[in-house]
Amino acid sequence: MKTIKLVALFFTLLFIMDDTISQAAGAVQIAYTVTFPEAQAHYADVEMNISGLQQNTLDLKMPVWTPGSYLVREFAKNVESFSATAKGKLLATPKINKNCWQINTTGLSSVTVKYRVYCFEISVRTSFIDASHAFISPTGIFLYPDKMLQSPSTVHIIPYQGWTKISTSLEPVNGNAFTRHAPNYDILFDSPIEVGNQDIFGFDAAGVKYEVCMVGGGNYDKERLKVDMAKIVEQETAVFGENPNKHYVFIVHNYARGGGGLEHLSSTTLGASRDSYGTEAGYHNFLSLVAHEHFHLWNVKRLRPIVLGPFNYDTENYTTDLWIAEGFTAYYQNIILRHANLTTPDGYLDAISNEINVIENQPGHLVQPLAESSFDAWIKAYRPNENSYNTTISYYDKGAAVGMLLDLEIINDSKGKYSLDDVMKYMYDTYYKTKKRGYTDAEFKQGFEKFAGKNLDDFYKKYITGLTPIDYNKYLGYAGYKIIDELADSNDPTLGVNIAASGKKIVTSVIRGTAAWIDGINVNDELVSIDGVPVTDATTMLTGKKVGDKITVNVLRDGLPLTLPVTLLRNNRLKYKVISLPDATAQQFAVRKKWLKL
C-alpha cells in the first residue's frame, strides 16, 4: 500500500506540474520577426519576443530534424550571435546542450531573443537564402520554448529589397500577407515559407484553393499544369473521400538540375529541373512528383504511424512502417497518373518494370528486410556509403512494389469489390478521423486482412520482415500479366564495378558477388590497364573479352601500383518487362480493368 500511495503522489505532483506548465504555455505570447539585412551572404536575422512568462527558467530549443526527412541534421549548427534581453538588460544565455539555450527568467514576464541563421543548403528540407529569394524551412529557423509546443505564434516577415511576394500555407493576420499565424509549433514547423518574386498561379480542385509558386523560372506551361494537377488532386481525393484543406500551396524550386520533394500538412516543397517540362518524359516525371507529395497530405500527414506525431524534435522517431507511409505513396504516385488518364496503360506498366528492375538489381534486397529498412532510415537511408547498394533496400522502392502486390491481392480475392483504395480510406477514417491517433503495424495489417478476406501472416513473414524474393508473376498473374527478363539469354562479361563519370577511372562501388568483389578490386582503386591496354572508357574496357577469361587488372591503390588477376563472370543484371499473358481469362481481365481503370 505504501508503494501505491507513493506512486499515486508522484503522478499527482506530475499532473499538477504539467498542468502548471500548460497554463503557463497558454498564457505565453510568441512573435517572430524575420529580416534579411545580408541576404546576399545567406543570412536570416530572427527576433523572438516572448511575453506572459511565469516560470523561472526558459529553455529555447532548435529542432534537430524535420518531419518527413528521417535524419538528424543538427539545425542548431547554423545559429550564431544568440542574445537575450529583458528590461533593457542583457541576459546570460548559456547553451546547455547541442540545441538548447537556457535563460534565467526569475522575475521576468517577457524576453526578447535575437539570433542569426546561416542558410545556404539547397534542398527541399533546408533553408536557402540569397539576394534573389528566401526559402524558409521552419525547423531550421525558429526556436521554440521547451514544453510549449502547443503555443501559438505569429511570424512577421520583412522582405529584402525588391522582394514583393510570399507563399505559405500559414494564414495571414488581419489581412497582412507578410504576417502569419501558427496555431502551434507542429503546424509552424510544417509550413515552409517562400519569399521573393516567385511566379504564382492557382487552380480549384476538390473544393480547395490551390496555389502554385514557381521559383527559378522554367519552360512550364501554366495552363497545362493547372488542368493536369487538378486531375491528380481529384483522383487522390477520391481515394479518401474528402480533401481536408481549404488552401494548399505547391512551392516549386526550379534548378538547372533538381528533384525531390518534402510533404507538409497543407503544402509541399518540390525540386525540379527548369527545362524539363518541355519533354513528355520530364513533364510526366514532374506530375509523378506532384502526385507523390500531394498524396502525403493524407498518407503520413494525417494517416500516420503512431510514433510520427506528436513529434519529438530532439531525437529520432523510429517506425517500421515507412514502407506504408512512403512506399505506398510511391506506388500511388504512378497509379494515380494512370487513373487520371495522364499516362497510358503501357506507360504505367513500363513504370512498374523500371521499379522492379531497381529492386531486383540491388543486392541489398536480399540483405535488409523491408521493416528494417524503415527502422534504420535514420542511420542508413540518408547516409549511404559505397557499400549501401550491397546491404540496403529502399522502403520507397520495395514498399511501392509491396503496395502493388497487396492491391492486386485484394482486387483478386474480393472479385473486384475492393482495392487498396478501400484499405487506405478505412484506415484514414478509423485512425485519423475517429480514433484521432496514428496506427500500429498490427492495426494496418488488420486493415489489409479486412479487405483481402484472409490472414496475411505468411505475406508479412516473406515480404515485410523476411527476405523471400518477391513472386511478381503470382500477383501480376491476377491481372493477366507476367514479367520476362530481356537479358536472360545474354552472356556478357563484367567486372562488377561502377566508375567515376569523368577524369581518372576511379572505382566508386563494387557490386556484391561479381568478379571485382571476389578477386579484390576495391573502392577508390584507379583502373590503369587491363591486360596491358590502358583503361580510357568504362564501356569499352572489356571489348573482346568473354565470360571465364582470366585477365590482369593493373590499378593504383593509395598511389601505389598493384596487379590483380581477375576471372570474368557473367553480367547478372536483370531487365524485366511486364507483358500480357497470351491466354488471359475473363477473371484476369476483370482484375486488370479494376486495377488500371480501363
Side-chain angles (χ1 to χ4, degrees), residues 494-525:
T494 183
L495 276 182
V497 298
N498 291 310
I499 299 173
S502 60
K504 296 179 179 180
K505 304 309 172 188
I506 306 296
V507 175
T508 57
S509 63
V510 178
I511 300 171
R512 185 187 295 270
T514 62
W517 178 279
I518 294 168
D519 291 325
I521 296 176
N522 288 184
V523 168
N524 294 328
D525 284 353

mmCIF file of all heavy atoms in Angstrom, residues 494-525:
data_model
loop_
_atom_site.group_PDB
_atom_site.id
_atom_site.type_symbol
_atom_site.label_atom_id
_atom_site.label_comp_id
_atom_site.label_asym_id
_atom_site.label_seq_id
_atom_site.Cartn_x
_atom_site.Cartn_y
_atom_site.Cartn_z
ATOM 1 N N THR A 494 31.444 -8.973 -67.087
ATOM 2 C CA THR A 494 31.520 -7.686 -66.390
ATOM 3 C C THR A 494 32.497 -7.796 -65.231
ATOM 4 O O THR A 494 32.672 -8.874 -64.656
ATOM 5 C CB THR A 494 30.140 -7.257 -65.862
ATOM 6 O OG1 THR A 494 30.262 -5.972 -65.245
ATOM 7 C CG2 THR A 494 29.615 -8.230 -64.822
ATOM 8 N N LEU A 495 33.141 -6.665 -64.913
ATOM 9 C CA LEU A 495 33.951 -6.620 -63.706
ATOM 10 C C LEU A 495 33.069 -6.514 -62.466
ATOM 11 O O LEU A 495 33.369 -7.069 -61.419
ATOM 12 C CB LEU A 495 34.898 -5.409 -63.742
ATOM 13 C CG LEU A 495 36.226 -5.549 -64.484
ATOM 14 C CD1 LEU A 495 37.022 -4.250 -64.357
ATOM 15 C CD2 LEU A 495 37.044 -6.711 -63.941
ATOM 16 N N GLY A 496 31.968 -5.753 -62.605
ATOM 17 C CA GLY A 496 31.090 -5.541 -61.461
ATOM 18 C C GLY A 496 31.466 -4.330 -60.643
ATOM 19 O O GLY A 496 31.352 -4.356 -59.409
ATOM 20 N N VAL A 497 31.914 -3.272 -61.320
ATOM 21 C CA VAL A 497 32.271 -2.041 -60.622
ATOM 22 C C VAL A 497 31.549 -0.868 -61.260
ATOM 23 O O VAL A 497 31.172 -0.912 -62.433
ATOM 24 C CB VAL A 497 33.797 -1.769 -60.659
ATOM 25 C CG1 VAL A 497 34.552 -2.874 -59.950
ATOM 26 C CG2 VAL A 497 34.291 -1.584 -62.089
ATOM 27 N N ASN A 498 31.353 0.177 -60.488
ATOM 28 C CA ASN A 498 30.947 1.468 -61.016
ATOM 29 C C ASN A 498 32.149 2.392 -60.936
ATOM 30 O O ASN A 498 32.944 2.333 -59.991
ATOM 31 C CB ASN A 498 29.776 2.036 -60.225
ATOM 32 C CG ASN A 498 28.503 1.242 -60.452
ATOM 33 O OD1 ASN A 498 28.117 0.986 -61.588
ATOM 34 N ND2 ASN A 498 27.853 0.823 -59.373
ATOM 35 N N ILE A 499 32.266 3.255 -61.957
ATOM 36 C CA ILE A 499 33.464 4.080 -62.105
ATOM 37 C C ILE A 499 33.061 5.540 -62.214
ATOM 38 O O ILE A 499 32.013 5.878 -62.786
ATOM 39 C CB ILE A 499 34.255 3.651 -63.364
ATOM 40 C CG1 ILE A 499 34.704 2.188 -63.213
ATOM 41 C CG2 ILE A 499 35.484 4.528 -63.575
ATOM 42 C CD1 ILE A 499 35.339 1.624 -64.453
ATOM 43 N N ALA A 500 33.889 6.431 -61.660
ATOM 44 C CA ALA A 500 33.639 7.863 -61.745
ATOM 45 C C ALA A 500 33.382 8.276 -63.185
ATOM 46 O O ALA A 500 34.036 7.791 -64.116
ATOM 47 C CB ALA A 500 34.822 8.641 -61.171
ATOM 48 N N ALA A 501 32.418 9.162 -63.390
ATOM 49 C CA ALA A 501 31.955 9.506 -64.734
ATOM 50 C C ALA A 501 33.004 10.228 -65.567
ATOM 51 O O ALA A 501 33.013 10.121 -66.788
ATOM 52 C CB ALA A 501 30.700 10.363 -64.631
ATOM 53 N N SER A 502 33.874 10.984 -64.930
ATOM 54 C CA SER A 502 34.853 11.748 -65.693
ATOM 55 C C SER A 502 36.206 11.712 -64.997
ATOM 56 O O SER A 502 36.311 11.332 -63.822
ATOM 57 C CB SER A 502 34.392 13.202 -65.852
ATOM 58 O OG SER A 502 34.226 13.810 -64.586
ATOM 59 N N GLY A 503 37.242 12.079 -65.738
ATOM 60 C CA GLY A 503 38.579 12.104 -65.163
ATOM 61 C C GLY A 503 39.161 10.708 -65.020
ATOM 62 O O GLY A 503 38.892 9.808 -65.834
ATOM 63 N N LYS A 504 39.942 10.500 -64.008
ATOM 64 C CA LYS A 504 40.555 9.201 -63.766
ATOM 65 C C LYS A 504 39.483 8.141 -63.522
ATOM 66 O O LYS A 504 38.419 8.430 -62.986
ATOM 67 C CB LYS A 504 41.497 9.278 -62.566
ATOM 68 C CG LYS A 504 42.688 10.210 -62.772
ATOM 69 C CD LYS A 504 43.568 10.256 -61.528
ATOM 70 C CE LYS A 504 44.761 11.168 -61.740
ATOM 71 N NZ LYS A 504 45.640 11.233 -60.535
ATOM 72 N N LYS A 505 39.782 6.915 -63.912
ATOM 73 C CA LYS A 505 38.809 5.822 -63.800
ATOM 74 C C LYS A 505 38.860 5.244 -62.379
ATOM 75 O O LYS A 505 39.446 4.188 -62.112
ATOM 76 C CB LYS A 505 39.076 4.745 -64.850
ATOM 77 C CG LYS A 505 39.088 5.292 -66.272
ATOM 78 C CD LYS A 505 37.849 6.125 -66.565
ATOM 79 C CE LYS A 505 37.927 6.839 -67.903
ATOM 80 N NZ LYS A 505 36.818 7.785 -68.095
ATOM 81 N N ILE A 506 38.242 5.979 -61.464
ATOM 82 C CA ILE A 506 38.239 5.620 -60.049
ATOM 83 C C ILE A 506 37.012 4.765 -59.743
ATOM 84 O O ILE A 506 35.884 5.127 -60.098
ATOM 85 C CB ILE A 506 38.235 6.874 -59.158
ATOM 86 C CG1 ILE A 506 39.393 7.816 -59.533
ATOM 87 C CG2 ILE A 506 38.298 6.480 -57.689
ATOM 88 C CD1 ILE A 506 40.759 7.241 -59.310
ATOM 89 N N VAL A 507 37.218 3.651 -59.083
ATOM 90 C CA VAL A 507 36.118 2.767 -58.709
ATOM 91 C C VAL A 507 35.330 3.421 -57.571
ATOM 92 O O VAL A 507 35.891 3.762 -56.527
ATOM 93 C CB VAL A 507 36.652 1.384 -58.260
ATOM 94 C CG1 VAL A 507 35.504 0.509 -57.754
ATOM 95 C CG2 VAL A 507 37.384 0.707 -59.420
ATOM 96 N N THR A 508 34.029 3.598 -57.778
ATOM 97 C CA THR A 508 33.175 4.221 -56.758
ATOM 98 C C THR A 508 32.354 3.204 -55.979
ATOM 99 O O THR A 508 31.915 3.485 -54.865
ATOM 100 C CB THR A 508 32.231 5.243 -57.407
ATOM 101 O OG1 THR A 508 31.456 4.587 -58.426
ATOM 102 C CG2 THR A 508 33.024 6.394 -58.035
ATOM 103 N N SER A 509 32.136 2.030 -56.555
ATOM 104 C CA SER A 509 31.455 0.963 -55.821
ATOM 105 C C SER A 509 31.761 -0.372 -56.468
ATOM 106 O O SER A 509 32.061 -0.450 -57.669
ATOM 107 C CB SER A 509 29.939 1.196 -55.773
ATOM 108 O OG SER A 509 29.378 1.161 -57.063
ATOM 109 N N VAL A 510 31.700 -1.411 -55.658
ATOM 110 C CA VAL A 510 31.917 -2.785 -56.122
ATOM 111 C C VAL A 510 30.660 -3.581 -55.789
ATOM 112 O O VAL A 510 30.188 -3.562 -54.645
ATOM 113 C CB VAL A 510 33.147 -3.421 -55.435
ATOM 114 C CG1 VAL A 510 33.326 -4.863 -55.897
ATOM 115 C CG2 VAL A 510 34.407 -2.607 -55.724
ATOM 116 N N ILE A 511 30.104 -4.270 -56.778
ATOM 117 C CA ILE A 511 28.835 -4.961 -56.599
ATOM 118 C C ILE A 511 29.066 -6.362 -56.039
ATOM 119 O O ILE A 511 29.906 -7.130 -56.526
ATOM 120 C CB ILE A 511 28.080 -5.029 -57.942
ATOM 121 C CG1 ILE A 511 27.815 -3.605 -58.454
ATOM 122 C CG2 ILE A 511 26.761 -5.795 -57.777
ATOM 123 C CD1 ILE A 511 27.283 -3.555 -59.867
ATOM 124 N N ARG A 512 28.307 -6.693 -55.005
ATOM 125 C CA ARG A 512 28.431 -7.976 -54.307
ATOM 126 C C ARG A 512 28.323 -9.155 -55.284
ATOM 127 O O ARG A 512 27.430 -9.204 -56.144
ATOM 128 C CB ARG A 512 27.331 -8.087 -53.246
ATOM 129 C CG ARG A 512 27.439 -9.330 -52.368
ATOM 130 C CD ARG A 512 26.220 -9.461 -51.468
ATOM 131 N NE ARG A 512 26.139 -8.378 -50.502
ATOM 132 C CZ ARG A 512 26.694 -8.406 -49.280
ATOM 133 N NH1 ARG A 512 27.380 -9.469 -48.899
ATOM 134 N NH2 ARG A 512 26.557 -7.381 -48.466
ATOM 135 N N GLY A 513 29.238 -10.114 -55.143
ATOM 136 C CA GLY A 513 29.169 -11.353 -55.906
ATOM 137 C C GLY A 513 29.776 -11.301 -57.286
ATOM 138 O O GLY A 513 29.793 -12.316 -57.997
ATOM 139 N N THR A 514 30.292 -10.152 -57.707
ATOM 140 C CA THR A 514 30.862 -10.018 -59.044
ATOM 141 C C THR A 514 32.352 -10.361 -59.036
ATOM 142 O O THR A 514 32.956 -10.613 -57.989
ATOM 143 C CB THR A 514 30.677 -8.589 -59.569
ATOM 144 O OG1 THR A 514 31.376 -7.683 -58.689
ATOM 145 C CG2 THR A 514 29.205 -8.212 -59.622
ATOM 146 N N ALA A 515 32.958 -10.353 -60.237
ATOM 147 C CA ALA A 515 34.384 -10.662 -60.356
ATOM 148 C C ALA A 515 35.230 -9.710 -59.516
ATOM 149 O O ALA A 515 36.177 -10.136 -58.836
ATOM 150 C CB ALA A 515 34.798 -10.584 -61.823
ATOM 151 N N ALA A 516 34.911 -8.437 -59.550
ATOM 152 C CA ALA A 516 35.681 -7.457 -58.774
ATOM 153 C C ALA A 516 35.551 -7.734 -57.282
ATOM 154 O O ALA A 516 36.518 -7.622 -56.517
ATOM 155 C CB ALA A 516 35.203 -6.049 -59.102
ATOM 156 N N TRP A 517 34.350 -8.074 -56.845
ATOM 157 C CA TRP A 517 34.097 -8.377 -55.422
ATOM 158 C C TRP A 517 34.921 -9.590 -54.982
ATOM 159 O O TRP A 517 35.579 -9.576 -53.938
ATOM 160 C CB TRP A 517 32.607 -8.638 -55.241
ATOM 161 C CG TRP A 517 32.160 -9.021 -53.864
ATOM 162 C CD1 TRP A 517 32.234 -10.267 -53.297
ATOM 163 C CD2 TRP A 517 31.557 -8.174 -52.881
ATOM 164 N NE1 TRP A 517 31.705 -10.256 -52.035
ATOM 165 C CE2 TRP A 517 31.279 -8.978 -51.747
ATOM 166 C CE3 TRP A 517 31.197 -6.841 -52.850
ATOM 167 C CZ2 TRP A 517 30.677 -8.484 -50.597
ATOM 168 C CZ3 TRP A 517 30.595 -6.341 -51.701
ATOM 169 C CH2 TRP A 517 30.344 -7.142 -50.593
ATOM 170 N N ILE A 518 34.911 -10.641 -55.796
ATOM 171 C CA ILE A 518 35.581 -11.894 -55.442
ATOM 172 C C ILE A 518 37.097 -11.765 -55.522
ATOM 173 O O ILE A 518 37.826 -12.272 -54.655
ATOM 174 C CB ILE A 518 35.080 -13.031 -56.360
ATOM 175 C CG1 ILE A 518 33.589 -13.315 -56.080
ATOM 176 C CG2 ILE A 518 35.917 -14.290 -56.185
ATOM 177 C CD1 ILE A 518 32.936 -14.208 -57.107
ATOM 178 N N ASP A 519 37.576 -11.070 -56.550
ATOM 179 C CA ASP A 519 39.026 -11.033 -56.787
ATOM 180 C C ASP A 519 39.713 -9.790 -56.239
ATOM 181 O O ASP A 519 40.906 -9.596 -56.469
ATOM 182 C CB ASP A 519 39.303 -11.177 -58.284
ATOM 183 C CG ASP A 519 38.968 -12.585 -58.787
ATOM 184 O OD1 ASP A 519 39.185 -13.545 -58.021
ATOM 185 O OD2 ASP A 519 38.485 -12.722 -59.922
ATOM 186 N N GLY A 520 38.992 -8.944 -55.515
ATOM 187 C CA GLY A 520 39.650 -7.948 -54.693
ATOM 188 C C GLY A 520 39.887 -6.572 -55.266
ATOM 189 O O GLY A 520 40.728 -5.825 -54.748
ATOM 190 N N ILE A 521 39.143 -6.170 -56.307
ATOM 191 C CA ILE A 521 39.185 -4.772 -56.715
ATOM 192 C C ILE A 521 38.437 -3.961 -55.659
ATOM 193 O O ILE A 521 37.349 -4.339 -55.229
ATOM 194 C CB ILE A 521 38.575 -4.570 -58.113
ATOM 195 C CG1 ILE A 521 39.413 -5.309 -59.167
ATOM 196 C CG2 ILE A 521 38.480 -3.094 -58.469
ATOM 197 C CD1 ILE A 521 38.841 -5.258 -60.575
ATOM 198 N N ASN A 522 39.001 -2.841 -55.246
ATOM 199 C CA ASN A 522 38.441 -2.056 -54.137
ATOM 200 C C ASN A 522 37.903 -0.712 -54.599
ATOM 201 O O ASN A 522 38.355 -0.157 -55.614
ATOM 202 C CB ASN A 522 39.514 -1.782 -53.073
ATOM 203 C CG ASN A 522 39.901 -3.006 -52.267
ATOM 204 O OD1 ASN A 522 40.687 -2.902 -51.344
ATOM 205 N ND2 ASN A 522 39.368 -4.182 -52.602
ATOM 206 N N VAL A 523 36.957 -0.193 -53.829
ATOM 207 C CA VAL A 523 36.534 1.191 -53.995
ATOM 208 C C VAL A 523 37.758 2.093 -53.796
ATOM 209 O O VAL A 523 38.606 1.826 -52.940
ATOM 210 C CB VAL A 523 35.428 1.547 -52.987
ATOM 211 C CG1 VAL A 523 35.176 3.048 -52.953
ATOM 212 C CG2 VAL A 523 34.142 0.800 -53.327
ATOM 213 N N ASN A 524 37.843 3.130 -54.623
ATOM 214 C CA ASN A 524 38.949 4.111 -54.656
ATOM 215 C C ASN A 524 40.165 3.624 -55.422
ATOM 216 O O ASN A 524 41.127 4.386 -55.586
ATOM 217 C CB ASN A 524 39.368 4.569 -53.257
ATOM 218 C CG ASN A 524 38.283 5.348 -52.557
ATOM 219 O OD1 ASN A 524 37.501 6.045 -53.204
ATOM 220 N ND2 ASN A 524 38.203 5.236 -51.237
ATOM 221 N N ASP A 525 40.147 2.372 -55.911
ATOM 222 C CA ASP A 525 41.202 1.955 -56.835
ATOM 223 C C ASP A 525 41.073 2.738 -58.135
ATOM 224 O O ASP A 525 39.952 2.968 -58.625
ATOM 225 C CB ASP A 525 41.084 0.460 -57.166
ATOM 226 C CG ASP A 525 41.567 -0.441 -56.045
ATOM 227 O OD1 ASP A 525 42.121 0.080 -55.054
ATOM 228 O OD2 ASP A 525 41.382 -1.673 -56.159
#
